[in-house]
Amino acid sequence: MTEGNFVDYVKIFAESGKGGKGSVHLHREKYITKGGPDGGDGGRGGHVIIRGNKNLWTLVGFKFKKHFKAGHGEHGSKSRSSGADGQDIYMDVPLGTVVKDAETLDVLFEITEDREEKVLVEGGMGGRGNWHFRTATNQTPRYAQPGVEGKETSVILELKVLADVGLVGFPNAGKSTLLSVITSAKPKIGDYEFTTLKPNLGIVEYRDFQSFVMADIPGIIEGAAEGKGLGHYFLRHIERNATLLFLVPADSNDISKEYQILLDELRRYNPELIDKDRLVVISKSDMLDEELMEEMRIELDKDFKDVPYMFISSVAQLGITALKDRLWAMLNTDQDSTKLE
């Protein structure tokens, strides 16, 4: 998926269909000149329905089509025949899509399961035909109900990436490089900050044809929780990740401090993020020799008592298999993780 095709925020307009009119009809046939009322009901107006689709990863389908209008119900007819319901409109969205009212920004609902359906705008009810209004004193009513008008609304579709593992780190920490090595994704890679401006997703192939999804979240900067840089635009994608992988480069001035800054940004944005499983990965470790790595382990053991850590190098392919094993264990077992030396 290219960055240009990753759309995670759109505003759309939706209008449901109008209900059909009830029929005003009196039964007539050969030898029956004054039959009773037999007007049928009007059909229901079409709904606008949002449906989850596990095969979609972006809202790019709404980039150029932002107006959706369901069909009107047909009118009732003689012989108590009901009109056909208006055609429903289905809008397929990726799992993890949040639907908000465009005016109040209140969350209306979220789509998290494949084929899950939510009616965004209900179609208007069809009017009842004159057959319903017959009484002992009014045996030939010559009136029926009109159909109810459809409704319209404007909503915001906001995608929060659903991935098993979310990569968290400062710009240029090596997240895109790791994603390109561990998955088949082809993210944009460069040696300058904010190379990644949209989340990238990749499938990590594991043993026995098993797999999990990893997301490269655009780099966090200090102050992101207050909206600095692209702020909340980045952070909201981390909310749906089951496990957070903190990536800190080996040439960082202070690995522990950098990790704490990242953790603090997540805590200030949403304290619940701190409850997720975490793994600290020191990237670019091909720059370290064994002696220096041992010295770093002594310090890291003190700083990361409650969080597992490990060394990897995406470029040199060091520790990649061990990283897959660690992530798979974190995603599929409840047992406590221990440090990988």
Side-chain angles (χ1 to χ4, degrees):
M1 181 193 308
T2 62
E3 285 190 4
N5 286 334
F6 189 93
V7 178
D8 58 357
Y9 185 96
V10 292
K11 182 178 179 180
I12 63 168
F13 173 82
E15 182 179 353
S16 62
K18 177 182 177 181
K21 294 189 298 186
S23 172
V24 179
H25 190 272
L26 301 177
H27 181 65
R28 295 289 185 270
E29 62 177 281
K30 193 175 183 180
Y31 307 121
I32 301 178
T33 57
K34 294 185 178 181
D38 70 346
D41 301 338
R44 166 186 64 79
H47 298 324
V48 178
I49 301 171
I50 294 184
R51 177 172 59 191
N53 187 334
K54 66 180 181 181
N55 297 316
L56 298 178
W57 297 99
T58 170
L59 297 171
V60 68
F62 302 96
K63 190 173 183 179
F64 302 107
K65 179 175 173 56
K66 298 183 178 181
H67 288 74
F68 298 86
K69 187 174 182 179
H72 297 312
E74 295 185 4
H75 304 319
S77 58
K78 62 182 180 180
S79 302
R80 282 188 268 173
S81 296
S82 298
D85 291 342
Q87 182 178 5
D88 294 334
I89 295 293
Y90 286 87
M91 301 161 52
D92 281 7
V93 299
L95 307 188
T97 299
V98 179
V99 182
K100 296 181 178 180
D101 184 282
E103 294 185 4
T104 65
L105 298 183
D106 291 336
V107 175
L108 303 178
F109 54 84
E110 301 180 21
I111 300 293
T112 58
E113 297 181 6
D114 187 42
R115 314 306 294 176
E116 178 183 2
E117 296 182 5
K118 297 284 188 180
V119 177
L120 178 61
V121 193
E122 291 187 347
M125 291 179 58
R128 294 195 296 174
N130 66 340
W131 181 79
H132 292 280
F133 300 102
R134 69 197 190 287
T135 64
T137 56
N138 184 10
Q139 296 184 1
T140 56
R142 299 178 184 274
Y143 53 84
Q145 287 181 329
V148 176
E149 292 289 337
K151 301 176 182 178
E152 56 184 46
T153 186
S154 291
V155 297
I156 291 171
L157 303 182
E158 183 178 283
L159 176 61
K160 294 181 180 180
V161 169
L162 276 175
D164 299 305
V165 179
L167 293 172
V168 183
F170 284 112
N172 201 26
K175 299 188 302 301
S176 296
T177 304
L178 174 59
L179 191 75
S180 69
V181 168
I182 204 171
T183 76
S184 58
K186 303 300 180 186
K188 184 179 179 182
I189 299 172
D191 59 355
Y192 49 93
E193 293 189 353
F194 295 113
T195 304
T196 302
L197 294 178
K198 300 288 180 70
N200 290 298
L201 297 177
I203 306 297
V204 180
E205 295 181 356
Y206 195 61
R207 298 185 177 90
D208 301 323
F209 304 102
Q210 298 175 109
S211 64
F212 55 92
V213 179
M214 180 177 284
D216 168 20
I217 308 300
I220 296 175
I221 62 173
E222 195 169 1
E226 281 73 45
K228 187 177 180 181
L230 295 182
H232 292 184
Y233 184 84
F234 289 169
L235 289 171
R236 73 164 183 264
H237 291 294
I238 301 174
E239 292 183 284
R240 295 291 177 79
N241 302 151
T243 297
L244 300 181
L245 191 161
F246 289 79
L247 204 65
V248 183
D251 58 354
S252 171
N253 292 330
D254 190 329
I255 292 176
S256 177
K257 181 180 179 181
E258 188 164 319
Y259 165 72
Q260 290 299 331
I261 292 173
L262 292 168
L263 197 63
D264 188 55
E265 291 300 327
L266 299 190
R267 183 185 294 109
R268 285 191 286 166
Y269 175 72
N270 183 350
E272 294 180 2
L273 295 176
I274 307 305
D275 296 330
K276 295 180 181 290
D277 288 338
R278 284 172 268 154
L279 173 64
V280 178
V281 172
I282 292 88
S283 63
K284 306 179 183 180
S285 60
D286 54 305
M287 297 186 297
L288 308 174
D289 56 30
E290 277 299 322
E291 184 179 350
L292 182 55
M293 196 175 293
E294 282 301 322
E295 291 179 6
M296 292 179 65
R297 282 197 179 102
I298 295 173
E299 293 300 319
L300 293 173
D301 283 338
K302 299 176 183 177
D303 297 334
F304 297 112
K305 294 180 180 179
D306 302 319
V307 182
Y309 71 86
M310 59 189 302
F311 292 90
I312 70 160
S313 170
S314 301
V315 175
Q317 301 277 304
L318 298 175
I320 300 300
T321 300
L323 176 60
K324 288 184 181 181
D325 290 338
R326 164 67 69 182
L327 292 173
W328 183 259
M330 294 175 71
L331 292 171
N332 293 279
T333 65
D334 295 325
Q335 64 188 18
D336 292 335
S337 297
T338 57
K339 293 182 178 64
L340 284 180
E341 297 294 338

